[in-house]
Amino acid sequence: MKIAVAIAFVLILGSLGSALFYLMRDKGRSNNTVRALALRVGFSITLFLLILLGYKLGYITPTGIR
């Protein structure tokens, strides 16, 4: 589960980086920035649902504050 969350987090950061690249290169003339940011939102929602599913199936357990 830790590996899946780490991969999703890297995908989110990669999508954010590509959005910055397109923003600087295109100066807002194309829809590439919007697509990259929409992909980032999709990855973030998927990560959230993956964490909820992992908790529900018992792969993630709360440990509390120690």
Side-chain angles (χ1 to χ4, degrees):
M1 192 64 179
K2 290 180 185 180
I3 294 171
V5 170
I7 289 171
F9 190 67
V10 168
L11 287 173
I12 291 168
L13 289 179
S15 178
L16 191 59
S18 68
L20 177 65
F21 173 76
Y22 288 131
L23 182 64
M24 292 296 161
R25 190 185 71 167
D26 294 343
K27 304 286 189 224
R29 288 183 286 242
S30 70
N31 287 336
N32 291 335
T33 304
V34 175
R35 281 191 208 121
L37 289 175
L39 195 61
R40 183 188 66 87
V41 169
F43 285 143
S44 298
I45 291 171
T46 303
L47 176 61
F48 181 73
L49 293 175
L50 182 69
I51 290 172
L52 285 177
L53 181 68
Y55 176 72
K56 190 73 170 173
L57 294 176
Y59 294 124
I60 299 173
T61 57
T63 58
I65 298 175
R66 296 178 188 219

